């Protein structure tokens, strides 16, 4: 694994206990009421979109993290296999899923699934591993299998390159990959790899989401 | 306020930082995979039920706590006023709601609402304050206003009395009120106070839920 990906993995291991503060906008992630309302509205939109997608059958979640979405997949799926590189984050996930500690960049699915799901993960896949990652998705899916993804929406002002420096609550800094995608750009890119995805942004453009058309 | 209610209030203030561990079944609340699946399935049922209720308009949430449900009310409501006795819990709630520090047993709603919502609260209302609490609900509602409630399901073996001794992660003990309700029993009790509630248990009987018929 590259140094950058090792550092990214370590960042998420160390961030595990404070990860949900980001999602729940607590502590240093607290914003004002209006920003909060936009966030919660877009979160509700994601949940509704996933509900309509119906992630039924055998579901594979890649980079499952602390389980914010795993807990929403479990009640609909027959079974959820939740893969994450860090035992520190899986310790906060749910034992209602089959939890697998494995690096997504170095893992072969032992069987095939009806749905492959990943949230806030694709933006952390560096460009040079992009095609390889989608090969894994294809390999993990049954012929009629479906993909669903959620990620950060693109910033108003496009960022330069695909690296970010992130800081933990205690001030330690890590360099990670963060590559933003616009819906049409991502749809075109994966179409060349054989995936037809119906992607869009949430109303306040905070998230990109969608799945197999 | 009675000593018991003061102790209950203090318990929830002290429990604030570990409260969500209960909801997310983390740490000492971790159960096995099968129990987790039942829990997550019943949680999904609660969310679906609230979605169908549509908590629109001006919403008052009583004993709002750390905001597990406040965050689901905000995207649907025009405005949410979230009342809780403890600033410690409201600090973990969302600024997308209007946060009011006030003891529900000693508070007058300053205006009227379309919906009054409370989760895991009614079971903490002692029998002697039951009618008074529902007076507050009536007083807080517009003439066509609606109620929605969520609470713990009744245990298989009925418990004796309405007190429980609860322990925090650090071992400190508190005595609190915990009064379980069966749907038909609660519906009959509030019918005498002028409320028609459509109440039921979730599929695995973990929660009671429902609202104005």
């Amino acid at each position: 694994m590259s140094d950058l990906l090792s550092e990214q993995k370590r960042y998420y291991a160390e961030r595990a206990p404070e990860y949900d503060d980001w999602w729940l906008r607590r502590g240093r992630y607290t914003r004002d009421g209006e920003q909060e309302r936009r966030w919660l509205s877009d979160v509700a939109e994601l949940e509704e979109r996933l509900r309509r997608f119906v992630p039924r059958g055998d579901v594979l979640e890649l980079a499952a993290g602390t389980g914010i979405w795993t807990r929403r997949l479990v009640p609909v799926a027959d079974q959820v296999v939740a893969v994450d590189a860090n035992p520190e984050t899986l310790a906060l996930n749910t034992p209602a899923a089959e939890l697998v500690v494995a690096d997504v960049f170095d893992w072969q699915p032992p069987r095939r699934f009806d749905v492959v799901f990943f949230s806030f993960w694709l933006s952390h896949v560096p460009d040079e591993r992009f095609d390889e990652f989608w090969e894994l998705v294809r390999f993990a899916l049954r012929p009629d299998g479906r993909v669903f993804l959620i990620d950060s929406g693109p910033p108003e002002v496009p960022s330069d390159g695909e690296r970010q420096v992130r800081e933990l609550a205690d001030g330690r800094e890590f360099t990670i990959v963060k590559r933003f995608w616009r819906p049409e750009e991502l749809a075109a890119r994966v179409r060349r790899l054989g995936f037809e995805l119906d992607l869009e942004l949430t109303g306040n453009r905070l998230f990109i989401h969608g799945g197999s058309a």
Side-chain angles (χ1 to χ4, degrees), chain A:
Chain A
M1 206 187 319
S2 76
D3 286 352
L4 179 59
L5 291 180
S6 297
E7 187 166 338
Q8 172 163 285
K9 177 178 161 182
R10 218 169 60 248
Y11 167 69
Y12 281 102
E14 298 284 346
R15 190 184 163 191
E18 57 192 82
Y19 186 87
D20 291 3
D21 283 349
W22 160 71
W23 186 248
L24 294 170
R25 319 310 280 166
R26 285 176 177 166
R28 63 202 181 105
Y29 297 99
T30 303
R31 298 294 178 271
D32 67 31
E34 187 44 40
Q35 287 174 302
E36 274 274 315
R37 269 184 290 277
R38 285 202 297 271
W39 179 273
L40 292 173
S41 166
D42 279 18
V43 168
E45 205 179 322
L46 292 180
E47 291 177 357
E48 170 63 14
R49 182 70 174 76
L50 179 61
R51 206 180 65 80
R52 281 189 285 117
F53 175 82
V54 191
R56 66 166 74 86
D58 287 332
V59 176
L60 172 64
E61 184 181 6
L62 298 172
T66 60
I68 292 165
W69 292 95
T70 319
R71 289 179 171 84
R72 314 208 138 261
L73 298 171
V74 163
V76 184
D78 290 333
Q79 203 204 0
V80 178
V81 175
V83 176
D84 198 278
N86 292 310
E88 292 86 345
T89 51
L90 286 184
L92 298 169
N93 206 306
T94 172
E98 185 187 325
L99 305 175
V100 177
V101 181
D103 195 295
V104 168
F105 293 120
D106 184 29
W107 179 73
Q108 296 259 4
R111 55 194 180 84
R112 293 183 186 254
F113 296 84
D114 298 303
V115 170
V116 173
F117 174 96
F118 38 97
S119 72
F120 304 96
W121 165 248
L122 190 64
S123 56
H124 299 303
V125 175
D127 195 66
E128 65 188 35
R129 311 293 284 264
F130 187 89
D131 291 9
E132 174 192 334
F133 170 70
W134 284 93
E135 266 310 303
L136 165 69
V137 174
R138 186 200 322 284
F139 187 75
L141 281 174
R142 295 194 175 124
D144 58 347
R146 300 178 300 147
V147 182
F148 195 92
L149 69 88
I150 291 170
D151 219 305
S152 311
E156 294 290 323
V157 181
S159 56
D160 191 26
E162 59 172 22
R163 291 182 184 212
Q164 272 188 356
V165 177
R166 292 282 185 89
E167 200 173 297
L168 292 178
D170 65 9
R172 277 178 298 161
E173 289 187 345
F174 297 81
T175 300
I176 66 160
V177 174
K178 188 74 185 184
R179 160 54 149 129
F180 295 99
W181 291 97
R182 287 177 292 110
E184 56 285 6
E185 178 193 22
L186 179 56
R189 178 81 183 262
V190 298
R191 187 173 298 122
R192 295 204 297 272
L193 303 173
F195 291 90
E196 277 300 327
L197 299 190
D198 185 7
L199 298 165
E200 55 185 325
L201 298 178
T202 47
N204 298 305
R205 306 176 59 85
L206 294 172
F207 307 115
I208 181 174
H209 61 96
S212 298

